[in-house]
Amino acid sequence: MNWSRLALRNLSRNRARSLTTIIATALGYAAVNLFAGFAHYMFASIEDAHIYEQGNGHVQIWKAGARNNLNDDPAQLLLTQDEQTKVETALAELPEVEFFSPLLEIKGTIDFDGRTGYFIGQAMDPIKRDELLSRATSLQSKDGTFFQGEAITDPEAYEFSLAEGLAEALGTSLGDPIILMAPTVEGQMNAVDGTVVQTLSVASEALDTRYIFMPLTIAQQLYETDGVSCFRAVLQDTEETDTVVAHLKSLLPSDQWEVLPWYDVSRLY
């Protein structure tokens, strides 16, 4: 007897039971696929937020031990000009790298009209920073912007971008003058003043009342250094991350350098 005919006869013998089984199987299949799609969306969103919204890039390059350094000396593990040139040369040779930028992490106090607060800041080329943020899908409003105020386009401008929580805590508005103070790499107190031209949303609640962004040259002036904390590279395709990391590790010895893919930096992912 043909097995197909036997199966059809079995199904038709109790149609209600067969229909119930078919519906249950279909619903189960749909539920599994719906959950898989949701899980994929969540991982994709975390990936997008980490790489673009938070400005981390696909690959980061630090001097060995610098990323988790708790030493109070900010100059100890900054990349010198020669080291920056070495990293730039290595990144420029890779066709998978779309663009890269040095970044300097800074911290200090901010003053507005007698009200002070502590800030944690990042400084890089403002054009490349905006290019990073513009690729984030979750920050953009309906008109396509990802901040309130004016874009920082001049790398030499004394213009600052404050997290919305920090601006609210200080009572600052767009166009207000502020003063940033921090110890230099030699331990002397220094200050720069400028204008608030942007406020932006920050995903982390802890950073919302602390975060500030400024052009790299202004931060280096505040710290009185030509060093940077690290390099962040953006690739043409996220799938090329492992290939790029492997190549960079072959050029930059692990006892001197730390080359990190984005998924190792993002603890949430």
Side-chain angles (χ1 to χ4, degrees), residues 130 147-152 159 174 197-199:
D130 283 356
F147 58 82
Q148 299 296 318
E150 301 177 0
I152 303 176
E159 297 176 339
L174 296 176
V197 298
Q198 281 186 16
T199 59

Side-chain angles (χ1 to χ4, degrees), residues 45 48-56 132-133 135-139 201-204:
S45 296
D48 179 88
H50 177 80
I51 295 172
Y52 301 116
E53 179 182 328
Q54 298 172 19
N56 290 296
L132 253 175
L133 290 179
R135 302 186 183 198
T137 58
S138 58
L139 276 180
S201 299
V202 178
S204 170

Side-chain angles (χ1 to χ4, degrees), residues 8 25 34 46 52 79 101 111 117 151 164 236:
L8 289 173
T25 303
L34 183 63
I46 295 172
Y52 301 116
L79 276 67
S101 177
D111 180 280
E164 291 176 347
Q236 297 183 15

Side-chain angles (χ1 to χ4, degrees), residues 15 33 37-38 51 70 89 94 98 101 115 152 165 172 179-180 205 212:
R15 296 183 179 181
N33 278 274
F38 174 74
I51 295 172
L70 299 179
T89 301
L94 294 173
E98 188 165 354
S101 177
R115 292 188 290 274
I152 303 176
T172 61
I179 301 174
L180 301 182
E205 184 177 354
I212 185 171

Side-chain angles (χ1 to χ4, degrees), residues 157-198:
Y158 291 85
E159 297 176 339
F160 306 118
S161 177
L162 272 61
E164 291 176 347
L166 177 58
E168 182 179 354
L170 292 173
T172 61
S173 302
L174 296 176
D176 284 340
I178 59 173
I179 301 174
L180 301 182
M181 294 167 286
T184 69
V185 294
E186 299 295 334
Q188 304 298 318
M189 186 58 71
N190 195 19
V192 296
D193 56 354
T195 306
V196 178
V197 298
Q198 281 186 16

Side-chain angles (χ1 to χ4, degrees), residues 197-228:
V197 298
Q198 281 186 16
T199 59
L200 72 160
S201 299
V202 178
S204 170
E205 184 177 354
L207 290 177
D208 187 46
T209 57
R210 295 286 182 264
Y211 182 77
I212 185 171
F213 172 83
M214 69 189 74
L216 176 61
T217 54
I218 307 304
Q220 289 176 324
Q221 179 181 328
L222 181 61
Y223 265 18
E224 292 188 352
T225 182
D226 57 5
V228 297

